[in-house]
Amino acid sequence: MSEPLKPCPFCGKDDGLYPAHNWPGGGKPYAIDCIRCGFDFTPREGMDVIEMWNRRAADEKGGAA
Ligand SMILES: [Zn+2]
């Protein structure tokens, strides 16, 4: 794990986050699941899911809809 995940934007927990790895031949996760609230974060294929997650988390915390 190179980059730490920010807490879930919906439940605020960071201990229920599970990156899902399934790329054929790729080491990066393609999705992040939060088992606390059931949030399933799956950006478009090829995106950096961790970067997208952290950006999403920051946006949610900022209060923007
Ligand atoms: Zn959550």
Side-chain angles (χ1 to χ4, degrees):
M1 185 74 70
S2 54
E3 203 173 338
L5 288 169
K6 291 186 178 175
C8 176
F10 293 100
C11 66
K13 304 287 187 183
D14 63 359
D15 59 348
L17 303 176
Y18 285 95
H21 299 258
N22 237 0
W23 291 131
K28 288 204 168 196
Y30 71 95
I32 294 174
D33 294 328
C34 177
I35 63 168
R36 289 283 191 171
C37 66
F39 180 48
D40 175 27
F41 182 69
T42 308
R44 296 225 315 265
E45 186 171 341
M47 305 292 280
D48 186 327
V49 68
I50 294 177
E51 182 185 329
M52 295 297 290
W53 171 272
N54 283 342
R55 189 176 303 167
R56 175 70 186 266
D59 287 349
E60 294 288 337
K61 209 167 247 178

Coordinates of all heavy atoms in Angstrom, one line a residue:
M1 N 0.9 -1.2 0.0 CA 0.0 0.0 0.0 C 0.9 1.2 0.0 O 1.6 1.5 0.9 CB -0.9 0.0 1.2 CG -1.9 1.1 1.3 SD -3.3 0.9 0.1 CE -4.2 -0.5 0.8
S2 N 0.9 2.0 -1.1 CA 1.8 3.1 -1.2 C 1.2 4.4 -0.6 O 1.8 5.1 0.1 CB 2.1 3.4 -2.7 OG 0.9 3.5 -3.4
E3 N -0.1 4.5 -0.8 CA -0.8 5.8 -0.3 C -1.9 5.4 0.7 O -2.7 4.6 0.4 CB -1.4 6.5 -1.6 CG -1.6 7.9 -1.4 CD -2.1 8.6 -2.7 OE1 -1.8 8.0 -3.8 OE2 -2.7 9.6 -2.6
P4 N -1.9 6.1 1.8 CA -3.0 5.8 2.8 C -4.3 6.3 2.3 O -4.4 7.3 1.6 CB -2.5 6.5 4.0 CG -1.7 7.7 3.5 CD -1.0 7.1 2.3
L5 N -5.4 5.6 2.7 CA -6.7 5.9 2.3 C -7.3 6.9 3.3 O -7.2 6.7 4.5 CB -7.6 4.7 2.2 CG -7.3 3.8 1.0 CD1 -8.1 2.5 1.2 CD2 -7.7 4.4 -0.3
K6 N -8.0 7.9 2.8 CA -8.7 8.8 3.8 C -10.0 8.1 4.2 O -10.4 7.1 3.6 CB -9.1 10.1 3.0 CG -7.9 10.9 2.7 CD -8.3 12.3 2.2 CE -7.0 13.1 1.9 NZ -7.3 14.4 1.3
P7 N -10.5 8.5 5.4 CA -11.7 7.9 5.9 C -12.9 7.9 4.9 O -12.9 8.8 4.0 CB -12.0 8.7 7.1 CG -10.8 9.3 7.5 CD -10.0 9.5 6.3
C8 N -13.8 7.0 5.0 CA -14.9 6.9 4.1 C -15.7 8.2 4.2 O -16.0 8.7 5.3 CB -15.8 5.8 4.5 SG -17.4 5.7 3.6
P9 N -16.1 8.8 3.1 CA -16.8 10.1 3.1 C -18.2 10.0 3.7 O -18.8 11.0 4.0 CB -16.8 10.5 1.6 CG -16.6 9.3 0.9 CD -15.8 8.4 1.7
F10 N -18.7 8.8 3.8 CA -20.1 8.6 4.2 C -20.2 8.2 5.7 O -21.1 8.7 6.4 CB -20.8 7.5 3.3 CG -21.0 8.0 1.9 CD1 -20.2 7.5 0.9 CD2 -22.0 8.8 1.6 CE1 -20.3 8.0 -0.4 CE2 -22.2 9.3 0.3 CZ -21.3 8.9 -0.7
C11 N -19.4 7.3 6.1 CA -19.5 6.9 7.5 C -18.3 7.4 8.4 O -18.3 7.3 9.6 CB -19.6 5.4 7.6 SG -18.1 4.5 7.1
G12 N -17.3 8.0 7.7 CA -16.2 8.6 8.5 C -15.2 7.6 9.0 O -14.3 8.0 9.7
K13 N -15.4 6.3 8.8 CA -14.5 5.3 9.3 C -13.4 5.0 8.3 O -13.6 5.0 7.1 CB -15.2 4.0 9.6 CG -16.4 4.2 10.6 CD -15.9 4.5 12.0 CE -17.1 4.5 12.9 NZ -16.7 4.8 14.3
D14 N -12.2 4.6 8.8 CA -11.2 4.2 7.9 C -10.7 2.8 8.1 O -9.7 2.3 7.6 CB -10.0 5.2 8.0 CG -9.3 5.2 9.4 OD1 -9.8 4.5 10.2 OD2 -8.4 5.9 9.5
D15 N -11.4 2.1 9.0 CA -11.0 0.7 9.3 C -11.9 -0.3 8.6 O -11.8 -1.5 8.9 CB -11.0 0.5 10.8 CG -12.4 0.7 11.4 OD1 -13.2 1.2 10.8 OD2 -12.5 0.3 12.6
G16 N -12.8 0.2 7.7 CA -13.6 -0.8 7.0 C -13.4 -0.7 5.5 O -14.2 -1.2 4.7
L17 N -12.3 -0.1 5.1 CA -12.0 0.1 3.7 C -11.1 -1.1 3.1 O -10.1 -1.4 3.7 CB -11.3 1.4 3.5 CG -12.0 2.6 4.1 CD1 -11.1 3.9 3.9 CD2 -13.3 2.8 3.4
Y18 N -11.6 -1.6 2.1 CA -10.9 -2.7 1.4 C -10.7 -2.5 -0.1 O -11.7 -2.5 -0.8 CB -11.6 -4.0 1.6 CG -11.5 -4.6 3.0 CD1 -12.4 -4.3 4.0 CD2 -10.4 -5.3 3.4 CE1 -12.3 -4.7 5.3 CE2 -10.2 -5.7 4.7 CZ -11.2 -5.5 5.6 OH -11.0 -5.9 6.9
P19 N -9.5 -2.2 -0.5 CA -9.2 -2.1 -1.9 C -9.4 -3.4 -2.6 O -8.9 -4.4 -2.0 CB -7.8 -1.6 -2.0 CG -7.5 -1.0 -0.6 CD -8.3 -1.8 0.3
A20 N -10.0 -3.5 -3.7 CA -10.2 -4.7 -4.4 C -9.2 -4.8 -5.6 O -9.2 -3.9 -6.4 CB -11.7 -4.8 -4.9
H21 N -8.4 -5.8 -5.6 CA -7.4 -6.0 -6.7 C -7.9 -7.0 -7.7 O -8.2 -8.2 -7.3 CB -6.1 -6.4 -6.1 CG -5.5 -5.4 -5.2 ND1 -4.5 -4.6 -5.5 CD2 -5.8 -5.2 -3.9 CE1 -4.2 -3.8 -4.4 NE2 -5.0 -4.2 -3.4
N22 N -8.1 -6.7 -8.9 CA -8.5 -7.7 -9.8 C -8.0 -7.4 -11.3 O -8.4 -8.1 -12.2 CB -10.0 -7.8 -9.9 CG -10.5 -9.2 -9.5 OD1 -9.6 -10.1 -9.3 ND2 -11.8 -9.4 -9.5
W23 N -7.2 -6.4 -11.4 CA -6.7 -6.2 -12.8 C -5.9 -7.4 -13.2 O -5.0 -7.9 -12.5 CB -5.8 -5.0 -12.9 CG -6.5 -3.7 -12.7 CD1 -6.1 -2.7 -11.9 CD2 -7.6 -3.2 -13.3 NE1 -6.9 -1.6 -12.0 CE2 -7.9 -1.9 -12.8 CE3 -8.5 -3.7 -14.3 CZ2 -9.0 -1.1 -13.3 CZ3 -9.6 -3.0 -14.7 CH2 -9.8 -1.7 -14.2
P24 N -6.1 -7.9 -14.4 CA -5.2 -8.9 -15.0 C -3.9 -8.3 -15.3 O -3.7 -7.5 -16.2 CB -5.9 -9.4 -16.2 CG -6.9 -8.2 -16.6 CD -7.2 -7.5 -15.3
G25 N -2.9 -8.7 -14.5 CA -1.5 -8.2 -14.8 C -1.2 -6.9 -14.1 O -0.2 -6.3 -14.4
G26 N -2.2 -6.3 -13.4 CA -1.9 -5.0 -12.7 C -2.0 -5.1 -11.2 O -2.8 -5.9 -10.7
G27 N -1.2 -4.4 -10.5 CA -1.1 -4.5 -9.1 C -2.0 -3.5 -8.4 O -2.3 -3.6 -7.2
K28 N -2.5 -2.5 -9.1 CA -3.3 -1.5 -8.5 C -4.7 -1.9 -8.3 O -5.3 -2.7 -9.1 CB -3.3 -0.2 -9.4 CG -2.0 0.5 -9.4 CD -2.2 2.0 -9.7 CE -0.9 2.7 -9.4 NZ -1.1 4.2 -9.4
P29 N -5.4 -1.5 -7.2 CA -6.8 -1.8 -7.0 C -7.7 -1.1 -8.0 O -7.3 -0.1 -8.5 CB -7.0 -1.3 -5.6 CG -6.0 -0.2 -5.3 CD -4.8 -0.6 -6.1
Y30 N -8.8 -1.7 -8.3 CA -9.8 -1.1 -9.2 C -11.0 -0.6 -8.5 O -11.8 0.1 -9.1 CB -10.2 -2.1 -10.2 CG -11.1 -3.2 -9.7 CD1 -12.5 -3.1 -9.8 CD2 -10.6 -4.3 -9.1 CE1 -13.3 -4.1 -9.3 CE2 -11.4 -5.3 -8.6 CZ -12.8 -5.2 -8.7 OH -13.6 -6.1 -8.2
A31 N -11.1 -0.9 -7.2 CA -12.3 -0.5 -6.5 C -12.0 -0.4 -5.0 O -11.0 -1.1 -4.6 CB -13.5 -1.4 -6.7
I32 N -12.7 0.3 -4.2 CA -12.6 0.3 -2.8 C -14.0 0.1 -2.2 O -14.9 0.8 -2.5 CB -12.0 1.6 -2.3 CG1 -10.6 1.8 -2.8 CG2 -12.0 1.7 -0.8 CD1 -9.9 3.1 -2.5
D33 N -14.1 -0.9 -1.3 CA -15.3 -1.1 -0.6 C -15.2 -0.7 0.8 O -14.2 -1.0 1.5 CB -15.7 -2.6 -0.7 CG -15.9 -3.1 -2.2 OD1 -16.4 -2.2 -2.9 OD2 -15.6 -4.2 -2.5
C34 N -16.3 -0.1 1.3 CA -16.4 0.2 2.7 C -17.4 -0.8 3.4 O -18.6 -0.8 3.0 CB -16.8 1.6 3.0 SG -17.0 2.0 4.7
I35 N -16.9 -1.7 4.2 CA -17.8 -2.6 4.8 C -18.6 -2.0 6.0 O -19.5 -2.6 6.5 CB -17.0 -3.9 5.3 CG1 -16.0 -3.5 6.4 CG2 -16.3 -4.6 4.2 CD1 -15.5 -4.8 7.1
R36 N -18.2 -0.8 6.4 CA -18.9 -0.1 7.5 C -20.3 0.3 7.0 O -21.3 0.1 7.7 CB -18.2 1.1 7.9 CG -16.9 0.7 8.7 CD -17.2 0.3 10.1 NE -16.0 0.2 10.9 CZ -16.1 0.0 12.2 NH1 -17.3 -0.1 12.8 NH2 -15.0 -0.1 12.9
C37 N -20.4 0.9 5.8 CA -21.6 1.5 5.4 C -22.1 0.9 4.0 O -23.1 1.2 3.5 CB -21.6 3.0 5.2 SG -20.4 3.6 4.0
G38 N -21.2 0.0 3.5 CA -21.6 -0.6 2.2 C -21.3 0.2 1.0 O -21.7 -0.2 -0.1
F39 N -20.6 1.3 1.1 CA -20.2 2.1 0.0 C -19.2 1.4 -0.9 O -18.2 0.8 -0.5 CB -19.6 3.4 0.5 CG -19.2 4.4 -0.7 CD1 -20.1 4.6 -1.7 CD2 -18.0 5.0 -0.6 CE1 -19.8 5.5 -2.7 CE2 -17.6 5.9 -1.7 CZ -18.5 6.1 -2.7
D40 N -19.6 1.3 -2.2 CA -18.7 0.6 -3.2 C -18.3 1.7 -4.2 O -19.0 2.2 -5.0 CB -19.5 -0.5 -3.9 CG -18.7 -1.1 -5.0 OD1 -17.5 -1.1 -4.9 OD2 -19.3 -1.6 -5.9
F41 N -17.0 2.0 -4.1 CA -16.4 3.0 -4.9 C -15.7 2.4 -6.1 O -14.7 1.7 -5.9 CB -15.5 3.9 -4.1 CG -14.9 5.0 -4.9 CD1 -15.7 6.1 -5.3 CD2 -13.5 5.1 -5.1 CE1 -15.1 7.2 -6.0 CE2 -12.9 6.1 -5.8 CZ -13.7 7.2 -6.3
T42 N -16.2 2.6 -7.3 CA -15.6 2.0 -8.5 C -15.5 3.0 -9.6 O -16.5 3.3 -10.3 CB -16.4 0.8 -9.0 OG1 -16.7 -0.1 -7.9 CG2 -15.7 0.1 -10.1
P43 N -14.3 3.7 -9.7 CA -14.2 4.7 -10.7 C -14.0 4.0 -12.1 O -13.9 2.7 -12.2 CB -12.9 5.4 -10.3 CG -12.1 4.5 -9.5 CD -13.2 3.6 -8.8
R44 N -13.9 4.8 -13.1 CA -13.7 4.2 -14.4 C -12.4 3.4 -14.6 O -11.5 3.7 -13.9 CB -13.7 5.3 -15.5 CG -15.0 6.1 -15.5 CD -15.4 6.4 -17.0 NE -14.3 6.8 -17.8 CZ -14.0 8.1 -18.1 NH1 -14.7 9.0 -17.6 NH2 -13.0 8.4 -18.9
E45 N -12.5 2.5 -15.4 CA -11.3 1.6 -15.6 C -10.1 2.4 -16.0 O -10.2 3.4 -16.8 CB -11.6 0.6 -16.7 CG -10.5 -0.4 -16.9 CD -10.9 -1.5 -17.8 OE1 -12.1 -1.7 -18.0 OE2 -10.0 -2.2 -18.4
G46 N -9.0 2.2 -15.4 CA -7.8 2.9 -15.7 C -7.5 4.0 -14.8 O -6.4 4.6 -14.8
M47 N -8.5 4.4 -14.0 CA -8.3 5.5 -13.1 C -7.5 5.0 -11.9 O -7.5 3.8 -11.5 CB -9.6 6.1 -12.6 CG -10.5 6.5 -13.7 SD -9.9 8.0 -14.6 CE -10.4 9.3 -13.5
D48 N -6.8 5.9 -11.2 CA -6.1 5.6 -10.0 C -7.1 5.7 -8.8 O -7.5 6.7 -8.4 CB -5.0 6.6 -9.7 CG -4.1 6.2 -8.5 OD1 -4.7 5.6 -7.5 OD2 -2.9 6.4 -8.5
V49 N -7.6 4.5 -8.4 CA -8.7 4.5 -7.5 C -8.4 5.1 -6.1 O -9.2 5.7 -5.5 CB -9.2 3.0 -7.3 CG1 -8.2 2.2 -6.6 CG2 -10.5 3.0 -6.6
I50 N -7.2 5.0 -5.7 CA -6.8 5.5 -4.4 C -6.8 7.1 -4.5 O -7.3 7.8 -3.6 CB -5.4 5.0 -4.0 CG1 -5.6 3.5 -3.7 CG2 -4.9 5.7 -2.7 CD1 -4.3 2.8 -3.3
E51 N -6.2 7.6 -5.6 CA -6.2 9.0 -5.8 C -7.7 9.5 -5.9 O -8.0 10.6 -5.3 CB -5.4 9.4 -7.1 CG -5.3 10.9 -7.3 CD -4.6 11.2 -8.6 OE1 -3.8 10.4 -9.1 OE2 -5.0 12.2 -9.2
M52 N -8.5 8.8 -6.7 CA -9.9 9.2 -6.8 C -10.6 9.2 -5.5 O -11.4 10.1 -5.2 CB -10.6 8.3 -7.8 CG -10.0 8.4 -9.3 SD -10.2 10.1 -10.0 CE -12.0 10.1 -10.2
W53 N -10.4 8.1 -4.7 CA -11.0 8.0 -3.4 C -10.6 9.2 -2.5 O -11.5 9.8 -1.9 CB -10.6 6.7 -2.8 CG -11.1 6.6 -1.4 CD1 -10.4 7.0 -0.2 CD2 -12.3 6.0 -0.9 NE1 -11.1 6.7 0.9 CE2 -12.3 6.1 0.5 CE3 -13.4 5.4 -1.5 CZ2 -13.3 5.7 1.3 CZ3 -14.4 5.0 -0.7 CH2 -14.4 5.1 0.6
N54 N -9.4 9.5 -2.4 CA -8.9 10.5 -1.5 C -9.5 11.9 -2.0 O -9.8 12.7 -1.2 CB -7.4 10.5 -1.5 CG -6.9 9.4 -0.6 OD1 -7.6 8.9 0.2 ND2 -5.6 9.1 -0.8
R55 N -9.6 12.1 -3.3 CA -10.2 13.3 -3.8 C -11.7 13.4 -3.5 O -12.2 14.4 -3.0 CB -10.0 13.4 -5.3 CG -10.4 14.7 -5.9 CD -10.0 14.7 -7.4 NE -8.6 14.4 -7.7 CZ -8.2 14.2 -8.9 NH1 -9.0 14.1 -9.9 NH2 -6.9 13.9 -9.0
R56 N -12.4 12.3 -3.6 CA -13.8 12.2 -3.3 C -14.0 12.5 -1.8 O -14.9 13.2 -1.4 CB -14.3 10.8 -3.6 CG -15.7 10.5 -3.2 CD -16.7 11.4 -4.1 NE -18.1 11.2 -3.6 CZ -18.9 10.3 -4.1 NH1 -18.6 9.5 -5.0 NH2 -20.2 10.3 -3.6
A57 N -13.1 11.9 -1.0 CA -13.2 12.0 0.5 C -13.1 13.5 0.8 O -13.8 14.0 1.7 CB -12.2 11.2 1.2
A58 N -12.1 14.1 0.2 CA -11.8 15.5 0.5 C -13.0 16.4 0.0 O -13.4 17.3 0.7 CB -10.6 16.0 -0.2
D59 N -13.6 16.1 -1.1 CA -14.8 16.8 -1.6 C -16.0 16.7 -0.6 O -16.6 17.7 -0.3 CB -15.2 16.3 -3.0 CG -14.2 16.7 -4.1 OD1 -13.3 17.5 -3.8 OD2 -14.3 16.2 -5.2
E60 N -16.2 15.5 -0.2 CA -17.4 15.2 0.7 C -17.2 16.0 2.0 O -18.1 16.6 2.6 CB -17.5 13.7 1.0 CG -17.9 12.9 -0.2 CD -19.3 13.2 -0.7 OE1 -20.1 13.6 0.2 OE2 -19.6 12.9 -1.8
K61 N -16.0 16.0 2.5 CA -15.7 16.7 3.8 C -15.9 18.2 3.6 O -16.2 18.9 4.5 CB -14.3 16.3 4.2 CG -14.1 16.4 5.7 CD -12.8 15.7 6.1 CE -13.0 14.4 6.9 NZ -11.8 13.8 7.3
G62 N -15.6 18.7 2.4 CA -15.8 20.1 2.2 C -17.2 20.6 2.2 O -17.5 21.8 2.2
G63 N -18.1 19.6 2.1 CA -19.6 19.9 2.2 C -20.2 20.2 0.8 O -21.4 20.5 0.8
A64 N -19.5 20.1 -0.2 CA -20.1 20.4 -1.5 C -20.9 19.2 -2.0 O -20.5 18.1 -1.8 CB -19.0 20.6 -2.6
A65 N -22.1 19.5 -2.6 CA -23.0 18.4 -3.0 C -22.5 17.8 -4.3 O -22.1 18.5 -5.2 CB -24.4 18.9 -3.1
Ligands
ZN1 ZN -18.3 3.9 4.8

